[in-house]
Amino acid sequence: MRRRERGTSDRATNPVGTGSERPEASERGKRDRPWLMRTYAGHSTAEASNELYRRNLAKGQTGLSVAFDLPTQTGYDPDHVLARGEVGRVGVPVCHLGDMRRLFRDIPLERMNTSMTINATAMWLLALYQVVAEEQGADVSKLSGTTQNDIVKEYLSRGTHVFPPGPSLRLTTDVIAYTVANIPKWNPINICSYHLQEAGATPVQEIAYAMSTAVSVLDAVRDSGQVPPEKFGDVVARISFFVNAGVRFVEEMCKMRAFTRIWDRITRERYGVEEPRQRRFRYGVQVNSLGLTEAQPENNVQRIVLEMLAVTLSKDARARAVQLPAWNEALGLPRPWDQQWSLRIQQVLAYESDLLEYDDLFAGSHVVEAKTAELAEDAWAEIERIQEMGGAMAAVESGYLKSRLVASHAERRARIESGEEKIVGVNCFESTEPNPLTADLDTAIMTVDPAVEAEVVASLHRWRDERDEVRAQRALAELKRAAAGTVNLMPATLECARAGVTTGEWAWALRDVFGEYRAPTGVSSAPVTTPAEEGSTLAAVRAKVDATAAELGCGRLRLLVGKPGLDGHSNGAEQIAVRARDAGFEVVYQGIRLTPEQIVSAAVAEDVHCVGLSILSGSHAELVPDVLDRLRRAGAGEVPVIVGGIIPRADAEALRSAGVAAVFTPKDFGITEIIGRIVDEIRIANKLDPLEVPA
C-alpha cells in the first residue's frame, strides 16, 4: 500500500525514547489528508470481483485491497484435488493473465493504489499485475501498492506457505530488489503482525516477531548483493507493515507508538540509515476480526469503531491505510452492503469529525508514555532473544515462535472461559432482544454459488487449450533453471506471465526445485495452560475421558484433529488439540492442508475414537461429506465426526443430516465444554451409558 508518509516520534538511542521531541501544534483548521480507505474484498470470479471493486470505488473507497482465494494463495490451479470446495470462497481466483485482466478491467492501475494479500505466490501475482498494467499503457515505475509477501507469519498463523524458509526468503528478496530498481513506489513486502495477534500474540510478541522478521528480510536483501550499499536506504524506505488493532484501544495505540520507536532504532543502528524519511514506520491496519462474535453480532460495530480509533486518534502513530471488517464476518461472507457500512464508519470519522485538524492528542501524557516505554522495552528484550537463536527463520524452524503463540492463545482462551476476560454477549450480558439484522440468517450473509467452481475450472481448461503451449513450456523450463541457480527470479516469472503459464504451473515448477514445507504445529511443545485442578470443569472432563477409556479398554481415548482443504487458519484446531491433550486424550494432529483421503487413512491407521474437522474457509459442504463417505467405505463409519468453523445455520443442519455428530461455531467459545461433548459423542457411538460426571 502506498501511504502518505508521516514523521516518526521520539528519535532515541534506546527502544523507549525520551518522549521529549514533539512537533509544534498545527494551526487549527489545517486538516491532514485522510488515510487510505479500503475494504478487503474479492469472491467468486474475476468478473464479479471487478464489479464489486468499481462499485466500492464509486462509494468513496480510495484504494483496493484484493482478497485472493486459497488455491491462488497456495499455488494450486482450481482443478487440483486440494482446491476442491475452495475456489472463489474466501477471495477471487486468479489462475492466469486472463483472470488478472478481467479483475482490473476499467480500473486504471497507474492511478490506483492496490494492496494484494498474497505471500507464497507474491512474485507471481505481482508479475501478472505488472503485465496487465503494461497492457493498459501504464508507466510501470508509477505503480503504487503492496504485496504482503511476509512468509514468516504464514508459518506461524495463516498457513498459506508453500516453500521452505530459505527459498521463501529468496523469493521475497528477489521481489524487493526488483521493485526498488523498477517499481520504486511499490511496497514489496508488508510485514504482517495482524495474523500473529489472531494466533494469540500479545502486544509484545506482535512487535518482537514482526521486527525480527523485518531484520531477517533486510539482512537477506543486504547480503544478496542485489542492491548497492548506497541504495539500501531505498530498500528500508519501502518496507511497510500491516498490523492488527484489538479492542483494548489504549494499549493498541501505545503498541503502535512502540513499533515506531523500535523501527527507528533498528534502521538507524543496524543498517546505518541516516535519512529520517527513510526510517519512517509506515503501516496499514485491519482491525481485529478475531474479536468479532457470532453471539449478538450487532456488538461488533462498536468493537470495530473502538479498534479503528486505536490507529487513528494518535497522529504520531496514525495508520496510513485502514480497512475494517464487517459486523457479520463471524457469521459468514459479508455482503456489499455490510462492507459499505464499514467504509462509512471510516468516512464519518475522517470527514465529519475534527480529528484531522489537531496535532497528536496524547503528547505529554504520562500514562501513554509509560505504557509505550513498557511495551518497547519488553519487545526489545524478546527481539534480542530471537536474535540469539539465529533470527526469525531459525526461531520458526525450531518451533519456538509457534509454540509461544499457541501457548499465548491458550492462555487467552482460558481467561475468557473463566470469565476473567469479559466478552459482552458471550460470557457476560448474554440476555438479548431478537436481532432484526439476523432475523433471516440465510440472507444476512453472502453465499458463493457452488457452480462457480465448475465455471472457473472450465475457463482454466479453455485458457490452456488456446495458449501458445511451446512458449509456456519454454518459460517454465527457464524458470526452473533460474531457480536452480542464483539469479533474480522476477524476469523469468514475468515471461511465465506473458506466456500464459497458470498459477499452479508456476508454483509446481518452483516446488520441483525448492520442495514443499510443513511448518511446526506448536501443539506438542505448547505448555499446559489450563491445569485440571480439583473441582474444575477440566478435571470433570478428564474424569469422563479416563472413565470412558477404561470402559472401552483402550488405555487412552484417541482424537484426530484434521484440517481438510487449503484453509490454513489453524488457531481453533490447535486450541482443541491442546485442550484435548490436557484433558487426557491422545491427540493426532498433522497440521494443515490435508485431503479427505489422507485424513481418513490417518484415522484408520491410528484407530481413533473420534475425528474432529476444522474448516473456516466455507468448504465444509464439499469436504465433510467426502470424509464421512470415505470413513464408511473404510469400515470406520461408526467413528463419530465433529466439525467446527464458520458454518451458517442451514449448512450445519445439512451436515448433521449427512451424519456429523456435532457442529461447533464461534458461539461455542467454551473449549473444555466442547471436549466434554466429544466424550459424550464417543460414548453414544460406542453404545455406552451416559456418565453422571458433570462437564
Side-chain angles (χ1 to χ4, degrees):
M1 306 170 191
R2 184 187 178 196
R3 304 178 184 91
R4 185 175 64 81
E5 296 179 335
R6 55 171 175 78
T8 53
S9 62
D10 303 332
R11 310 291 186 232
T13 57
N14 60 68
V16 179
T18 64
S20 61
E21 297 183 29
R22 297 292 180 185
E24 294 295 322
S26 61
E27 182 182 344
R28 177 75 163 80
K30 271 194 171 181
R31 296 176 63 88
D32 281 351
R33 281 185 293 174
W35 50 89
L36 277 172
M37 299 183 189
R38 294 187 168 113
T39 52
Y40 182 55
H43 66 87
S44 302
T45 64
E47 292 87 347
S49 298
N50 172 264
E51 180 185 357
L52 177 62
Y53 296 160
R54 289 187 285 113
R55 286 166 57 189
N56 285 347
L57 291 169
K59 293 173 183 175
Q61 188 173 298
T62 52
L64 292 177
S65 181
V66 181
F68 295 96
D69 73 354
L70 288 174
T72 303
Q73 294 186 50
T74 51
Y76 293 100
D77 283 333
D79 56 355
H80 191 277
V81 61
L82 273 171
R84 182 185 175 196
E86 307 280 14
V87 178
R89 287 281 178 184
V90 298
V92 56
V94 174
C95 312
H96 47 69
L97 183 60
D99 285 340
M100 193 66 96
R101 287 173 185 147
R102 290 189 290 273
L103 184 62
F104 292 108
R105 181 176 60 84
D106 297 330
I107 298 175
L109 297 186
E110 188 174 305
R111 303 200 302 271
M112 184 50 55
N113 189 298
T114 305
S115 171
M116 295 191 286
T117 301
I118 204 75
N119 295 281
T121 53
M123 178 181 284
W124 173 244
L125 273 296
L126 178 59
L128 293 177
Y129 188 87
Q130 176 181 325
V131 174
V132 168
E134 291 170 346
E135 292 177 347
Q136 291 183 354
D139 179 349
V140 170
S141 69
K142 294 182 179 178
L143 296 180
S144 63
T146 302
T147 34
Q148 192 169 101
N149 210 5
D150 174 4
I151 204 66
V152 170
K153 67 94 173 51
E154 298 301 317
Y155 299 134
L156 298 178
S157 58
R158 195 164 167 268
T160 66
H161 56 275
V162 177
F163 312 112
S168 294
L169 189 56
R170 176 187 172 186
L171 286 168
T172 299
T173 298
D174 285 357
V175 169
I176 292 172
Y178 177 83
T179 54
V180 166
N182 298 281
I183 318 178
K185 295 182 178 181
W186 194 266
N187 295 322
I189 186 170
N190 200 321
I191 294 170
C192 183
S193 70
Y194 174 87
H195 301 93
L196 300 181
Q197 185 178 118
E198 293 214 324
T202 65
V204 167
Q205 289 172 328
E206 272 189 77
I207 299 168
Y209 296 177
M211 289 296 170
S212 297
T213 297
V215 167
S216 292
V217 169
L218 288 174
D219 283 0
V221 174
R222 180 193 59 195
D223 297 344
S224 74
Q226 295 190 64
V227 180
E230 65 272 16
K231 297 281 289 181
F232 198 73
D234 294 338
V235 174
V236 172
R238 298 320 304 171
I239 302 297
S240 63
F241 292 78
F242 186 65
V243 305
N244 201 331
V247 76
R248 292 172 56 84
F249 75 98
V250 174
E251 183 176 58
E252 294 293 308
M253 180 193 64
C254 294
K255 178 186 76 180
M256 299 320 306
R257 297 165 86 93
F259 255 125
T260 297
R261 296 181 185 187
I262 290 179
W263 182 242
D264 185 70
R265 178 181 179 184
I266 288 173
T267 54
R268 180 166 32 83
E269 294 184 1
R270 188 179 183 95
Y271 301 110
V273 179
E274 296 298 332
E275 171 56 52
R277 289 178 62 85
Q278 293 178 329
R279 297 201 309 267
R280 286 171 179 160
F281 182 76
R282 299 177 308 120
Y283 79 98
V285 65
Q286 174 164 320
V287 306
N288 190 2
S289 295
L290 174 69
L292 304 185
T293 63
E294 180 183 6
Q296 298 182 28
E298 65 275 12
N299 294 336
N300 294 332
V301 176
Q302 48 265 37
R303 293 185 179 109
I304 290 167
V305 171
L306 283 171
E307 291 162 354
M308 176 183 63
L309 292 176
V311 293
T312 55
L313 279 181
S314 170
K315 183 177 181 179
D316 283 1
R318 183 172 294 148
R320 290 299 90 203
V322 177
Q323 58 192 47
L324 303 182
W327 68 278
N328 56 348
E329 285 195 15
L331 305 175
L333 190 65
R335 301 157 298 187
W337 182 85
D338 305 313
Q339 292 187 324
Q340 174 184 294
W341 192 356
S342 291
L343 175 62
R344 296 293 186 248
I345 290 172
Q346 295 196 61
Q347 290 169 330
V348 168
L349 178 64
Y351 299 114
E352 293 189 26
S353 85
D354 59 351
L355 173 66
L356 298 179
E357 298 174 10
Y358 294 94
D359 256 335
D360 194 89
L361 305 181
F362 303 97
S365 167
H366 67 276
V367 173
V368 169
E369 178 57 35
K371 185 62 178 179
T372 301
E374 175 192 341
L375 292 172
E377 288 184 357
D378 291 349
W380 192 263
E382 181 68 4
I383 292 167
E384 290 183 325
R385 186 176 298 113
I386 292 167
Q387 290 306 303
E388 289 171 1
M389 296 177 184
M393 290 299 183
V396 166
E397 292 178 304
S398 70
Y400 170 77
L401 296 184
K402 182 65 173 178
S403 65
R404 294 311 309 151
L405 289 177
V406 171
S408 294
H409 198 178
E411 290 164 3
R412 177 179 181 270
R413 290 298 306 230
R415 291 195 301 271
I416 294 172
E417 291 176 43
S418 70
E420 178 186 348
E421 186 170 325
K422 306 292 186 192
I423 309 292
V424 173
V426 173
N427 64 359
C428 62
F429 309 112
E430 297 169 60
S431 62
T432 181
E433 297 297 325
N435 184 347
L437 293 174
T438 58
D440 183 357
L441 276 176
D442 293 334
T443 62
I445 56 173
M446 193 176 87
T447 57
V448 175
D449 188 341
V452 163
E453 185 166 318
E455 294 170 7
V456 172
V457 170
S459 175
L460 170 68
H461 293 167
R462 287 194 300 272
W463 175 267
R464 289 195 190 125
D465 290 342
E466 295 169 3
R467 72 184 178 184
D468 182 340
E469 190 64 25
V470 172
R471 183 182 180 185
Q473 294 305 320
R474 188 166 58 238
L476 286 167
E478 178 55 35
L479 176 66
K480 287 185 179 182
R481 281 193 292 272
T486 59
V487 300
N488 190 297
L489 292 172
M490 193 68 186
T493 295
L494 282 163
E495 173 54 22
C496 284
R498 296 180 179 115
V501 166
T502 67
T503 297
E505 290 169 339
W506 178 86
W508 279 108
L510 294 183
R511 283 182 173 100
D512 287 345
V513 179
F514 296 151
E516 290 192 81
Y517 185 69
R518 294 192 70 80
T521 67
V523 168
S524 60
S525 55
V528 174
T529 56
T530 311
E533 298 175 350
E534 185 175 353
S536 67
T537 302
L538 184 58
V541 171
R542 183 156 193 145
K544 288 178 66 171
V545 171
D546 293 343
T548 303
E551 289 184 59
L552 293 176
C554 61
R556 295 175 71 190
L557 295 183
R558 291 178 295 280
L559 170 67
L560 184 147
V561 178
K563 285 198 66 64
L566 297 177
D567 169 33
H569 287 83
S570 57
N571 303 331
E574 291 156 2
Q575 293 307 308
I576 291 291
V578 168
R579 191 68 58 84
R581 178 204 65 186
D582 294 349
F585 273 89
E586 178 182 334
V587 177
V588 180
Y589 178 58
Q590 299 171 324
I592 63 173
R593 215 174 301 168
L594 301 172
T595 65
E597 182 180 15
Q598 289 171 321
I599 289 171
V600 170
S601 294
V604 172
E606 299 288 345
D607 192 24
V608 300
H609 297 95
C610 183
V611 173
L613 302 178
S614 171
I615 307 177
L616 279 78
S617 63
S619 60
H620 48 267
E622 289 280 341
L623 299 180
V624 173
D626 192 4
V627 171
L628 291 169
D629 182 58
R630 289 178 183 274
L631 281 171
R632 294 185 190 108
R633 285 189 276 130
E638 76 286 352
V639 175
V641 174
I642 64 166
V643 180
I646 299 176
I647 300 172
R649 182 177 58 190
D651 287 0
E653 293 171 358
L655 291 177
R656 283 188 284 265
S657 297
V660 169
V663 176
F664 299 100
T665 66
K667 72 177 183 299
D668 301 297
F669 73 95
I671 297 180
T672 301
E673 285 75 11
I674 291 174
I675 303 302
R677 286 278 306 279
I678 291 172
V679 182
D680 293 339
E681 295 301 337
I682 291 173
R683 296 188 66 84
I684 292 169
N686 288 276
K687 298 180 172 57
L688 300 179
D689 292 334
L691 281 175
E692 296 303 320
V693 180

